[in-house]
Amino acid sequence: MLTYLTAGESHGPQLTAIVDGFPAGFKVDINRINFQLARRQKGYGRGGRMKIESDRVEVVSGIRHSVTLGSPITLVIHNKDWPNWTGIMDPIKPMSDDLGVKEQQLAKETTRPRPGHADLAGGVKFNHKDLRNVLERASARETAIRVAVGALARQLLEHFQVQFASHVVRIGPVALPAAPAPDDLSEFNERVELSEVRCADKSTEEKMIAAIKAARKERDSLGGIAEVIVRGLPIGLGSYSQGYRRLDGRLAAALMSIPSVKGVEIGLGIEAAARRGSEVHDEIFHNQKGDRRKKGYYRNTNNAGGLEGGITNGEDLILRVAAKPISTLNKPLKTVDVISHEPSEAMVERTDNCVIPALGIIGEAVVALVLADAFLEKYGADNLSEIERNYNAYLNTPF
Ligand code: EPS
């Protein structure tokens, strides 16, 4: 129902997205998109690039006087770093022979692939010996525009009282002790947002920052895990009828598509494999006057993480997304030069040293896109008032 494509190189003029299938008649708040973009840029462990960029979205199609038309929506984020790269990245003109000292350095160091990055596999695949042709698009800079698209989807779901949260539960060796989802998500979000690493627990936060500092001192990088929580979803999004319709698979695919992500867990996740059924499955209760989104059914535990049979069960969606450490290391690993085939050291580009604080924000965005797609499948997709009618009819139908 809701599809999108993104385009743009990390150091090119702009990032662009075309979103198709967004319903008509929805009042978009651009400030709320920009708010999500600013959240993604924050966080302890970022490198020099984030001091240059201050991402803001521009809408160039599909919205008129702030209201969606049902036509494709085009979003743009201009790269502020672009003027520093025009000689190297110009889409039409040949490489400038008049590069500054810094540009000359950047222009030549692109034949020594970084282990862990797309450099080598992408270079072989597309037959690029100049690995800049790979790394510019493989860069996680692309997540900026995905967050913008996700912020649109999120606004649509928030209109139906769906709430989003995320926080960091691990950075390198430092883990937040497991705890149930907080009662008040708005208050939780406020606390998380105050933390430089997006971890609401003060003592864990301090240890996380110390771990990033220690890695940076040794010119190394750190990965980690973010948890995304979505509250207020009705029972019934997604389907078991075909494998590709299962919402858990769709959500996992979306999260796995974030650069550096190596694992996704839902609810109890991998731990469920080690327990007996009686210690895993969430018993079912009913309250006649209970939440209409859940038809009055509720659970006292949420090991399923809000999904059963590939369908939302009305409980909080709990997703954990694990990312490996950044692969650009200031202490370069061994590699092979793709032109000489001589042993070498991996190229060093300006880099972040830990991006896990941003991971939850990107996670919220891609999750919002999958959920909005499933919501539109269930309640209709052309016009907001039509969707509202269908949703209210669902709420008013007892089961
Ligand atoms: C990235 C390398 C760094 C990051 C970038 C992702 O960029 P640069 O090479 O310009 O210093 O800052 O992330 C972003 C620009 C961003 O907006 O998140 C990489 O190689 O993936």
Side-chain angles (χ1 to χ4, degrees), residues 10-11 40-41 46-50 53 55 81 85 114 117 135 138-144 259 326 328 349-352 355:
S10 176
H11 304 102
R40 193 197 69 94
Q41 286 199 265
R46 287 297 214 143
R49 179 77 184 269
M50 286 305 100
E53 303 298 340
D55 296 334
D81 206 12
W85 290 80
R114 292 157 293 178
H117 211 281
L135 69 90
S139 165
R141 175 72 184 146
E142 188 267 347
T143 61
I326 295 279
T328 307
E349 288 245 332
R350 176 185 60 191
T351 185
D352 305 309
V355 290

Side-chain angles (χ1 to χ4, degrees), residues 4 6 15 17 32-41 55 57 75 77 140-154 258 358-366 368-369:
Y4 70 100
T6 74
L15 301 166
R32 283 164 66 191
I33 301 181
N34 287 329
F35 175 71
Q36 295 303 331
L37 293 178
R39 281 177 87 207
R40 193 197 69 94
Q41 286 199 265
D55 296 334
V57 75
L75 303 178
I77 296 172
R141 175 72 184 146
E142 188 267 347
T143 61
I145 194 73
R146 264 203 271 178
V147 167
V149 180
L152 263 183
R154 176 193 186 115
I258 300 171
L359 180 62
I361 314 298
I362 304 162
E364 287 177 32
V366 299
L369 278 157

Side-chain angles (χ1 to χ4, degrees), residues 204-277:
T204 312
E205 175 195 42
E206 282 164 13
K207 288 182 201 138
M208 286 173 170
I209 291 175
I212 298 172
K213 270 188 189 154
R216 181 185 285 158
K217 209 165 152 210
E218 290 166 37
R219 295 181 295 144
D220 222 325
S221 59
L222 278 185
I225 304 179
E227 183 170 76
V228 176
I229 305 168
V230 188
R231 181 167 293 169
L233 292 167
I235 294 186
L237 304 185
S239 177
Y240 50 76
S241 69
Q242 297 293 340
Y244 72 87
R245 291 187 188 278
R246 286 183 177 260
L247 201 60
D248 31 20
R250 289 156 70 180
L251 288 163
L255 289 166
M256 291 291 288
S257 77
I258 300 171
S260 298
V261 169
K262 284 295 191 185
V264 174
E265 285 192 314
I266 299 176
L268 197 55
I270 287 171
E271 165 67 22
R275 295 195 191 177
R276 290 184 170 193

Side-chain angles (χ1 to χ4, degrees), residues 13-199:
Q14 65 181 51
L15 301 166
T16 310
I18 299 184
V19 187
D20 195 36
F22 199 90
F26 184 79
K27 193 163 192 307
V28 173
D29 183 344
I30 293 299
N31 294 330
R32 283 164 66 191
I33 301 181
N34 287 329
F35 175 71
Q36 295 303 331
L37 293 178
R39 281 177 87 207
R40 193 197 69 94
Q41 286 199 265
K42 289 194 301 190
Y44 195 86
R46 287 297 214 143
R49 179 77 184 269
M50 286 305 100
K51 294 191 180 74
I52 299 173
E53 303 298 340
S54 50
D55 296 334
R56 295 186 75 76
V57 75
E58 192 187 325
V59 180
V60 293
S61 81
I63 300 181
R64 187 170 173 223
H65 309 310
S66 291
V67 180
T68 57
L69 303 176
S71 316
I73 298 172
T74 308
L75 303 178
V76 169
I77 296 172
H78 295 279
N79 288 322
K80 284 199 168 169
D81 206 12
W82 159 244
N84 304 321
W85 290 80
T86 48
I88 299 169
M89 291 298 297
D90 192 287
I92 305 297
K93 290 187 208 148
M95 181 85 89
S96 168
D97 49 16
D98 183 25
L99 297 176
V101 179
K102 214 171 137 202
E103 273 184 311
Q104 276 176 24
Q105 188 69 10
L106 288 165
K108 67 179 184 229
E109 284 196 317
T110 47
T111 57
R112 294 178 283 121
R114 292 157 293 178
H117 211 281
D119 300 342
L120 179 61
V124 172
K125 177 178 170 62
F126 292 106
N127 199 19
H128 290 311
K129 288 275 180 173
D130 181 355
L131 302 176
R132 176 154 306 285
N133 292 336
V134 173
L135 69 90
E136 283 289 334
R137 181 62 187 159
S139 165
R141 175 72 184 146
E142 188 267 347
T143 61
I145 194 73
R146 264 203 271 178
V147 167
V149 180
L152 263 183
R154 176 193 186 115
Q155 277 185 44
L156 179 68
L157 291 165
E158 283 174 344
H159 180 77
F160 293 93
Q161 282 75 52
V162 175
Q163 283 183 290
F164 289 81
S166 70
H167 61 136
V168 170
V169 297
R170 173 181 285 279
I171 287 186
V174 184
L176 178 74
D183 287 341
D184 184 338
L185 272 198
S186 309
E187 185 268 340
F188 180 69
N189 275 334
E190 279 169 25
R191 279 196 293 129
V192 169
E193 231 54 43
L194 290 175
S195 161
E196 276 193 291
V197 283
R198 307 198 66 255
C199 174

